[in-house]
Amino acid sequence: MKLTVLGCYAATPRTFTNPTSQVLEIKNHLFLIDCGEGTQVQLRKYKVKFSRINHIFISHLHGDHFFGLPGLISTFRLLGRDKELHIYGPKGIKQAITLFLKLGDSWTNYPLIFHELETSESELVFEDDKVTVRTVPLIHRVYTNGYFFEEKEAPRTLDIEAARKFGVDRSQFNNIKKGVDGVDDVGRTIPNKKLTLAPPAPKSYAFCSDTMYNENILPIIRDVTVLYHESTFLDSEEHLCQKTKHSTAKQAALIAQKANAKLLILGHYSTRYKSIELFKKEAEEVFPVVELADDGKVFDFDV
């Protein structure tokens, strides 16, 4: 599981910072999460393959989270894309994107499939044999969802040394891989768990951007491996959170603590502050394992 941060600052792009967009690589999927202005430039800069992006998850329809999407969709067309592109986002995103395409007479030559969301409850929006993705309802000035990405538990793997130790013939190996018990050379049954190795624990990633402090998300993200949570303000500006529906670094740390997260990544910083290190310092007063997102930063969670 690897996360590449393309942009993680609030509001407007600057010459040295970009609005929210990130790429999550998990179980051979390359998921694009939010698509602020400049996303495709950042994709090129950090050598992310456009052709591997088949699913794009948009949290809400504020410009710093999706203004890069029309341009990216158009670039896919110019690159000759022919496979499906799935877009998940709030109801209205289809109307917004198709209006751009209609006015520019630039319909895609590939299937563009929208999955519009409007429920205030968490729902499963993607699933295959390796990964599930659920929404995380957030509290912001417009309808907003985070996303919870979770690996499915992998099958147990054959322990060849154990099989030899118990005298199980190799002709049984394929069945053992499928969960069948083994039989030794004198006919005794050997439980499958003694002949196989447990897989690594499934990893999970929660993306929670643009939200005020909200403990209602805790049951959805409980025991998450990595939590990305917005931290627009420092505690000194907590009074702005109710008006803007944003969070402080300390509040993000409280969510991480109560969710029993393994790691907290902060982002969506207001540009009013001189150093993002201030966010890390504040969060660490509540939660011990904190990293700072920054444009171009890569987190490899398999290391």
Side-chain angles (χ1 to χ4, degrees), residues 58-60 117 119 121 135-138 143-147 207 209:
I58 301 297
S59 62
H60 64 295
L117 311 172
T119 179
E121 302 293 327
T135 58
V136 183
L138 302 175
Y143 176 77
T144 304
N145 283 301
Y147 294 96
F207 171 82
S209 188

Side-chain angles (χ1 to χ4, degrees), residues 4-8 18-19 21-23 32 39 42-43 46 48 295-296:
T4 301
V5 179
L6 304 177
C8 63
N18 291 270
S21 184
Q22 50 186 244
V23 173
L32 180 63
T39 291
Q42 292 293 89
L43 288 169
Y46 297 110
V48 178
D295 295 6

Side-chain angles (χ1 to χ4, degrees), residues 41-273:
V41 174
Q42 292 293 89
L43 288 169
R44 292 187 186 279
K45 182 176 181 179
Y46 297 110
K47 297 179 171 55
V48 178
K49 289 188 176 180
F50 282 48
S51 60
R52 289 192 59 200
I53 298 173
N54 299 317
H55 301 270
I56 300 176
F57 299 86
I58 301 297
S59 62
H60 64 295
L61 298 184
H62 280 163
D64 56 333
H65 293 261
F66 95 108
F67 275 178
L69 188 56
L72 182 60
I73 289 171
S74 296
T75 294
F76 280 140
R77 173 178 176 266
L78 295 173
L79 293 175
R81 184 186 182 101
D82 56 11
K83 60 182 177 178
E84 295 179 351
L85 179 65
H86 293 262
I87 308 243
Y88 306 79
K91 186 176 182 180
I93 193 169
K94 180 177 180 179
Q95 179 183 2
I97 297 301
T98 53
L99 181 59
F100 271 107
L101 301 178
K102 178 181 178 181
L103 294 176
D105 192 21
S106 54
W107 296 105
T108 64
N109 52 356
Y110 57 88
L112 184 58
I113 302 169
F114 290 93
H115 305 263
E116 293 196 303
L117 311 172
E118 54 184 327
T119 179
S120 59
E121 302 293 327
S122 178
E123 63 178 324
L124 182 70
V125 294
F126 174 84
E127 181 177 23
D128 65 6
D129 60 340
K130 294 182 178 179
V131 178
T132 61
V133 184
R134 301 192 66 88
T135 58
V136 183
L138 302 175
I139 301 175
H140 193 43
R141 300 192 307 277
V142 296
Y143 176 77
T144 304
N145 283 301
Y147 294 96
F148 183 69
F149 304 82
E150 186 173 29
E151 297 176 344
K152 289 186 175 181
E153 187 169 338
R156 298 177 67 88
T157 55
L158 177 68
D159 185 344
I160 294 178
E161 290 302 315
R164 289 172 178 166
K165 173 185 172 183
F166 284 107
V168 174
D169 188 78
R170 63 182 302 109
S171 63
Q172 302 178 52
F173 285 1
N174 281 339
N175 284 335
I176 291 170
K177 290 177 184 177
K178 296 175 183 177
V180 178
D181 292 338
V183 179
D184 67 11
D185 49 13
V186 296
R188 290 175 297 193
T189 298
I190 310 299
N192 185 270
K193 284 192 174 182
K194 290 188 176 182
L195 301 172
T196 56
L197 300 170
K203 298 182 184 69
S204 56
Y205 175 68
F207 171 82
C208 298
S209 188
D210 286 40
T211 183
M212 63 185 299
Y213 183 79
N214 178 19
E215 293 189 3
N216 290 333
I217 71 174
L218 294 176
I220 306 168
I221 67 170
R222 183 83 60 197
D223 298 324
V224 64
T225 309
V226 182
L227 168 64
Y228 173 91
H229 195 289
E230 76 125 282
S231 53
T232 304
F233 300 117
L234 294 177
D235 197 47
S236 54
E237 279 70 51
E238 184 184 1
H239 61 281
L240 296 176
C241 290
Q242 180 64 42
K243 176 182 177 182
T244 63
K245 300 294 189 288
H246 283 299
S247 300
T248 67
K250 183 176 289 186
Q251 289 172 339
L254 280 169
I255 291 293
Q257 180 193 69
K258 293 181 179 184
N260 194 35
K262 305 296 184 295
L263 170 67
L264 170 64
I265 300 177
L266 299 176
H268 202 265
Y269 320 107
S270 168
T271 54
R272 72 182 61 212
Y273 303 106

